[in-house]
Structure formats: C-alpha cells, structure tokens
Amino acid sequence: MAKTKFAEFLGISKGRVSQLIKDGLPVEPNGMIDSEAGKTWYSAHCSPNRRKALTENIPTSARAELDAVRVERAKLDLEREKGNLIDRMAAKQAIFSRARAERDAWIGWASRASVALASELEADPKDAFALMDKLVRDHLADLAELPLKELADD
C-alpha cells in the first residue's frame, strides 16, 4: 500500500506516515507498506490518543466515506435482489389496504350479525343493528388508538 493510501487507512496525514517510517514503521523494499504489518506497528508504537482511527470505525477521508457509502448501497442492492427488502411505500400501502379491508369486514359483520341476533332475541332488527354498529365502530376506534407495541406478540 502506498504512503497516501496508508495515511487514509489510518486517518493521518501523508507527512505523518513519513515521520513514522523514520521512527521504524516497516516498509517493503519497493517503498510500499504492508497494511496489516503497518497497522500492528502503529498500534504498538503510537499512543492511544493518536490511534483514534483504528479504534473507531469511522471513515477517515472523503474518499473513504464515499467508499463506505458505495459498499452499503451494494449490500442493500444485494439484499433487495435476494428479496429480503421491500419498498417502504409499497409496504405502507399494503398495510393500509389490509387495515381498510379488515375494518370494512367488521362493519359488514355487524350488519349480518345484528339480524341473526335480533331474530334470536325477538328484538327490533333496526335497534339491534344500531347497537352492534356502534359497538363495533367504538371497538375499531379503540384499536386504532392502541400503540403497535401493545399489539405485538412477545
């Protein structure tokens, strides 16, 4: 690895790499620096305060940050191709459509069940429907107010 690349790798300046070479940083005969040997030497010979880039997993330059973003995008693209990721808006739309269908099914059930209940109890079908409809709508409103955490299975 060239001095410039090694400097980016450690998060230090190219001039600092030259100073470290004078202090004994191992260099190959062609002037390149072995990244693992250099990192090991740097960790052993420099104070922890100066080794911040090695202990924190942060990009050390604009190029390293851009490379990190590209890697993250490539990982996301791969996961999307595998089918492990879905489009957020599509998921929201599917959830909204499902919730609307369930709401409509419950309201329809109240209409059907009120007729059967009125028949069994020999009550007025209009009164039975009005009461069932009110109870179902109140229950649906209560469910809509309930935080999702309380609905989740443990």
Side-chain angles (χ1 to χ4, degrees):
M1 174 179 293
K3 282 184 188 179
T4 305
K5 287 286 185 185
F6 189 69
E8 285 181 15
F9 175 69
L10 291 180
I12 59 177
S13 70
K14 185 178 171 185
R16 179 68 179 135
V17 172
S18 296
Q19 289 174 345
L20 293 174
I21 291 172
K22 288 178 186 174
D23 291 341
L25 177 69
V27 179
E28 295 176 3
N30 61 1
M32 302 299 263
I33 302 168
D34 177 24
S35 61
E36 286 305 313
K39 181 179 171 183
T40 303
W41 184 92
Y42 185 73
S43 295
H45 293 89
C46 294
S47 72
N49 293 338
R50 293 188 176 210
R51 291 186 277 136
K52 189 174 188 179
L54 291 179
T55 58
E56 294 179 6
N57 194 11
I58 57 172
T60 56
S61 68
R63 171 172 268 149
E65 191 171 330
L66 181 60
D67 288 343
V69 168
R70 286 180 179 152
V71 167
E72 187 65 27
R73 282 186 181 159
K75 287 178 184 178
L76 289 173
D77 288 342
L78 178 62
E79 289 298 316
R80 192 175 294 115
E81 287 175 16
K82 287 180 177 180
N84 295 336
L85 297 177
I86 58 171
D87 181 57
R88 176 183 224 144
M89 292 307 295
K92 281 184 173 184
Q93 184 61 40
I95 292 167
F96 182 79
S97 296
R98 173 65 189 251
R100 178 180 283 164
E102 288 185 20
R103 178 203 65 194
D104 293 347
W106 270 103
I107 291 172
W109 175 84
S111 177
R112 292 186 310 276
S114 65
V115 172
L117 187 62
S119 161
E120 283 288 321
L121 298 175
E122 298 177 1
D124 181 24
K126 286 190 266 182
D127 293 340
F129 171 72
L131 180 59
M132 289 285 286
D133 187 61
K134 180 188 178 320
L135 292 173
V136 167
R137 288 178 188 272
D138 288 348
H139 182 63
L140 290 172
D142 289 344
L143 286 175
E145 300 275 327
L146 194 62
L148 289 177
K149 289 180 183 177
E150 292 183 28
L151 292 174
D153 292 333
D154 288 328

